[in-house]
Amino acid sequence: MEYFLIVLSTVLFGGQFIALDAYQAKNGKSYKSILLFCSLFAFTGAFIFLALNGFIIGFSVYTLLMSLLAAGIQMLLQFAGLKALSLGRVEIYSLFNVAGGMSVAYIFGITYFQEAIKWWHIIGLVLILLCLLIPVIFEKKGDKKSSWIFWILCIGVFLANGFFGTINKMHIVSGNGLSIKEYMFYMYSWIFIISTLSFFFLAMFNKKEAKELWNYKPVLFGVLYGLLNGFGMFMQYMFADTIPASILFPLSNAGCIVFSLIIGCIAYRKKPKLQDIAQIVVALIGMSLFFF
């Protein structure tokens, strides 16, 4: 059941990229647009975990501080990721994003959490990274070269995605704070507070947006992202206290690769290319090694 829920969470995470893409198509990628997006999905996520906990929330200084740290890392991940996507190739961004989510968490798993090293898990990691390299190697780059800012943002994404999962895992296994539902409520609430205050602060000094940000369609896409992200987080971390980090995060990130490709092809009615099929097959083989 634990592994099934992790895989199911990756289906939701794969679908959230469609909601993000639809939001950006309507509202663009300005700073105000990103902040509004963060406010929308964070409010939705906070409400989900508040409801899941029966609208009762406790208080813990440790949970409050750890959730604030996780929220700050998540905000960095959102900004660095969205700006990186506007400056360079999505394949390279995806490589840094998933590689960070797997490798940083895996290293913490075998060092900080003292988890066992298994040779077939190492092979699984290599295969998942290989599937990410397929589009980077074989797709035509074109004439546009990525700027140095893009590479710095990619490094930021690498570290942020890796440490985000690690911070969440550290809080869950510590036994010092509140439940995962309450922790996630605080994390989404912090994101909502930070992004909303920043949005209105920026609106006071920034020129008016060319696009109307409050149109109902992008708002709905932001809420949809929050629904997918919130329930995906719940499924992923519900049994995080019993599943090793060296298994949880590689399995989760590999699943995101597979289902984002499949859902993307279905949503955009796009015929999968040979490299898409190769990515899915290699990622699935790598994922399967973490079930043992």
Side-chain angles (χ1 to χ4, degrees):
M1 177 58 70
E2 292 93 334
Y3 288 95
F4 171 76
L5 287 176
I6 292 174
V7 174
L8 185 58
S9 73
T10 65
V11 178
L12 299 181
F13 289 146
Q16 73 184 11
F17 294 113
I18 307 301
L20 173 60
D21 187 57
Y23 174 87
Q24 290 180 327
K26 298 292 183 181
N27 270 4
K29 299 177 182 178
S30 67
Y31 287 114
K32 285 173 64 178
S33 175
I34 297 173
L35 287 169
L36 176 60
F37 172 78
C38 290
S39 295
L40 290 169
F41 92 77
F43 178 83
T44 307
F47 181 82
I48 288 172
F49 282 99
L50 181 63
L52 288 171
N53 207 51
F55 294 95
I56 300 172
I57 295 296
F59 178 80
S60 164
V61 174
Y62 179 72
T63 295
L64 207 62
L65 293 176
M66 290 292 281
S67 61
L68 176 59
L69 179 58
I73 295 173
Q74 181 63 212
M75 290 287 291
L76 173 62
L77 180 61
Q78 292 291 339
F79 267 87
L82 291 174
K83 283 301 175 182
L85 286 171
S86 66
L87 295 173
R89 296 171 60 201
V90 65
E91 298 86 4
I92 297 176
Y93 157 79
S94 299
L95 173 61
F96 276 84
N97 188 20
V98 177
M102 291 191 306
S103 57
V104 174
Y106 186 85
I107 292 170
F108 262 84
I110 61 177
T111 54
Y112 182 85
F113 299 116
Q114 298 294 304
E115 296 168 0
I117 301 175
K118 297 179 180 178
W119 63 266
W120 53 90
H121 289 173
I122 301 293
I123 295 175
L125 275 173
V126 172
L127 287 174
I128 295 168
L129 290 174
L130 176 63
C131 85
L132 288 165
L133 286 169
I134 291 174
V136 177
I137 295 172
F138 294 103
E139 189 161 310
K140 294 180 180 179
K141 297 181 180 180
D143 298 325
K144 183 181 177 181
K145 291 185 177 180
S146 300
S147 65
W148 62 272
I149 299 177
F150 170 75
W151 294 106
I152 291 178
L153 289 171
C154 283
I155 294 172
V157 166
F158 177 94
L159 295 173
N161 196 25
F163 281 106
F164 175 72
T166 303
I167 292 297
N168 294 337
K169 175 75 174 179
M170 287 174 65
H171 176 273
I172 292 169
V173 302
S174 68
N176 296 324
L178 301 174
S179 68
I180 182 62
K181 297 174 187 176
E182 295 167 293
Y183 170 79
M184 285 295 175
F185 166 78
Y186 279 116
M187 186 200 72
Y188 280 111
S189 296
W190 278 122
I191 296 174
F192 174 74
I193 292 170
I194 296 170
S195 56
T196 302
L197 291 177
S198 300
F199 176 86
F200 285 110
F201 179 80
L202 193 62
M204 291 172 59
F205 300 99
N206 199 12
K207 62 181 181 180
K208 187 177 179 180
E209 293 282 334
K211 293 185 177 182
E212 178 56 56
L213 296 179
W214 291 100
N215 187 280
Y216 77 95
K217 285 187 178 180
V219 169
L220 288 177
F221 288 130
V223 171
L224 175 60
Y225 183 98
L227 289 170
L228 296 171
N229 187 266
F231 283 112
M233 286 283 190
F234 175 65
M235 292 176 186
Q236 183 179 88
Y237 288 105
M238 190 159 55
F239 295 104
D241 56 337
T242 58
I243 301 176
S246 56
I247 295 177
L248 172 63
F249 297 109
L251 186 61
S252 174
N253 281 275
C256 287
I257 298 170
V258 172
F259 291 111
S260 62
L261 284 170
I262 294 174
I263 294 172
C265 289
I266 295 173
Y268 299 117
R269 298 178 182 178
K270 182 180 68 173
K271 184 179 180 181
K273 295 183 288 187
L274 180 60
Q275 70 178 39
D276 297 328
I277 297 172
Q279 274 189 283
I280 292 172
V281 171
V282 175
L284 284 173
I285 295 172
M287 282 179 67
S288 66
L289 295 175
F290 285 94
F291 287 99
F292 304 101

